[in-house]
Amino acid sequence: MRVVVTGAAGFIGSHLSEALLDRGHTVVGIDNLLTGDMANVAHLRARDFHFIRHDVTRYIDVNGPVDFVLHWASPASPIDYLELPIQTLKVGSLGTHNALGLAMAKGAGFMLASTSEVYGDPLEHPQKETYWGHVNPVGPRGVYDEAKRFAEALTLAYHRYHGVDTRIVRIFNTYGPRMRLRDGRAVPAFMSQALRNEDVTVFGDGTQTRSFCYVTDLVDGVLRLMASDITDPVNIGNPDEVTIEEIARTIIRLTGSRSRIVYRPLPVDDPKQRRPDITRARTLLGWEPMVGLEEGLLKTVDYFKRRLVAG
Ligand code: UDP
C-alpha cells in the first residue's frame, strides 16, 4: 500500500511510518515540524519514505495513488497545546478536513488519531468507547479536547455522508523513544529530570492516575485497526493504571537517580483518573499490550541517556 502519514516526524508518527515500511508499504510522510523533528525520520530517508514539509491545515497535494491516510498531525503535549491553542484547533478541524478530503479524492481509507482526552476529566471509570465524556469546552485543555471531538464527528460524517472507509483510534497515554527531552509530558519530564539528578516535578499531590502504553504496543494496535473494518472508535492503551507519584518514584529508581520529588500546582482541568477499557480492542482486534511498564521505561531510559549525552 501507499500510505500517507500526517505528523510523520512526530513521536508516534515516526514509529508508525517505520512499522509500515517494515511491512513493505510505501510511506508519504507529511509534517510542518511545528512539534515534530526530522531527526525522528532521518533514518527512514534511505527507505521507501518520501517526506513533504507541509502544514496540513492548508490544502494537501499528494501526487499519485494513495491507499490509506493516517492523520496523526497535532500538538499532543499539554505544554504544546497550551502554547499553540489556535494551531491545535486548526489542525484538528481544518487539518482533519483536508486529510479526509485527500482520502476521499484518492478513494483511500482514513484513520484519525483521536485521544483519551475526548473523555475529559472522566466521571466513568475505566473509560469505555460508549462514554460521551466530561470536557470543559472553555478551559485551557478544551482546545485539544474539542478539536479532537470535532475531528471524530467530521470523520464519521465523511464515513456516513461520503462513504469514506474510516477508523478512529482513541490513544491513551503513550511513551517511548523519540519523545522530546523537553516534551513536558510526565514520562519524558520525569526522565529528563531524574537523569540530570534535578527535582522531579509532580503536579498536584500525585494521586491522579494514568495508564501508560509502550509505543510498539500502540503501533501494533493501530495496524490491526487499519486492517479491520471497524468504523466505531476503538481505545488503544495499556489498562495498567498507576498514580503519577508512583511513576515518578519508579523512574527515579530505574535511573538510579538522586532526584527528590517536588510538588507543583495541578494544571487546570487535569484529569483525576484515566484507564482505558480495552474490551473492544481485545475482542475485535485480538490486541493486547505486551510490554510491561518497567520494561518499556528501561528502553525509554536508554534513549533519553543517549539524547542527553548527545546534548
Ligand atoms: N505531570 C506531572 N509532572 C510533570 C508533567 C506531568 O505531575 O512534569 C502530571 C500531569 O499533571 C498529569 C499526568 O502527569 O496528571 C500526565 O500528564 P501528561 O502531561 O503526561 O499527559 P496527560 O495525561 O495529562 O495528557
Side-chain angles (χ1 to χ4, degrees):
M1 284 202 283
R2 191 159 184 262
V3 183
V4 168
V5 180
T6 75
F11 158 51
I12 299 180
S14 65
H15 284 282
L16 209 45
S17 298
E18 190 163 351
L20 290 163
L21 294 171
D22 290 344
R23 284 161 183 76
H25 302 299
T26 298
V27 176
V28 179
I30 306 180
D31 206 299
N32 67 348
L33 305 178
L34 186 62
T35 58
D37 186 345
M38 280 313 285
N40 290 337
V41 289
H43 64 299
L44 305 182
R45 302 298 291 271
R47 303 177 65 182
D48 204 1
F49 177 81
H50 310 271
F51 184 77
I52 304 173
R53 185 167 180 173
H54 179 70
D55 175 353
V56 296
T57 66
R58 291 168 41 230
Y59 183 83
I60 307 170
D61 204 5
V62 176
N63 290 328
V66 175
D67 301 296
F68 218 97
V69 177
L70 294 171
H71 180 42
W72 248 253
S74 177
S77 166
I79 58 167
D80 290 326
Y81 52 77
L82 297 185
E83 205 175 295
L84 305 166
I86 296 169
Q87 288 94 328
T88 301
L89 281 158
K90 283 175 73 178
V91 76
S93 53
L94 306 178
T96 303
H97 189 218
N98 290 331
L100 278 162
L102 173 69
M104 188 168 83
K106 302 284 186 181
F110 175 91
M111 192 187 306
L112 172 70
S114 186
T115 167
S116 54
E117 284 285 323
V118 300
Y119 302 122
D121 188 2
L123 302 179
E124 193 181 295
H125 193 74
Q127 293 79 50
K128 290 193 185 70
E129 291 88 346
T130 47
Y131 178 48
W132 291 355
H134 180 234
V135 170
N136 175 5
V138 294
R141 293 176 90 102
V143 296
Y144 184 65
D145 303 8
E146 295 297 2
K148 290 293 190 182
R149 288 168 67 96
F150 174 86
E152 288 198 4
L154 192 63
T155 299
L156 278 166
Y158 266 67
H159 173 66
R160 294 187 183 118
Y161 189 77
H162 289 305
V164 176
D165 185 22
T166 59
R167 313 275 182 277
I168 296 172
V169 56
R170 290 187 180 148
I171 300 172
F172 283 65
N173 295 68
T174 301
Y175 70 98
R178 300 191 197 143
M179 292 186 101
R180 300 159 304 173
L181 293 173
R182 285 185 191 75
D183 181 274
R185 281 175 281 190
V187 169
F190 297 164
M191 272 192 191
S192 302
Q193 293 161 341
L195 288 170
R196 294 177 168 125
N197 295 307
E198 292 169 359
D199 289 348
V200 166
T201 54
V202 166
F203 298 159
D205 61 5
T207 57
Q208 71 271 33
T209 67
R210 294 294 185 273
S211 311
F212 293 96
C213 186
Y214 190 65
V215 65
T216 52
D217 280 335
L218 186 279
V219 165
D220 176 42
V222 168
L223 295 181
R224 284 172 191 248
L225 180 59
M226 191 176 161
S228 80
D229 58 1
I230 304 165
T231 52
D232 286 332
V234 178
N235 290 338
I236 297 285
N238 192 315
D240 180 12
E241 183 180 358
V242 294
T243 68
I244 292 304
E245 166 110 22
E246 270 176 80
I247 192 122
R249 292 201 183 284
T250 304
I251 289 172
I252 290 172
R253 175 168 54 79
L254 294 178
T255 50
S257 170
R258 297 190 303 278
S259 294
R260 303 172 311 138
I261 291 182
V262 295
Y263 297 88
R264 297 279 177 264
L266 191 67
V268 177
D269 295 333
D270 197 282
K272 281 179 278 306
Q273 51 180 7
R274 180 182 287 159
R275 168 157 56 102
D277 181 316
I278 59 165
T279 308
R280 202 175 267 184
R282 274 196 180 115
T283 52
L284 301 180
L285 305 176
W287 177 79
E288 187 83 40
M290 307 299 287
V291 182
L293 184 61
E294 294 210 1
E295 183 189 351
L297 287 175
L298 284 171
K299 292 183 195 202
T300 312
V301 167
D302 283 343
Y303 171 82
F304 274 82
K305 274 188 184 157
R306 277 187 275 118
R307 285 302 303 267
L308 281 169
V309 169

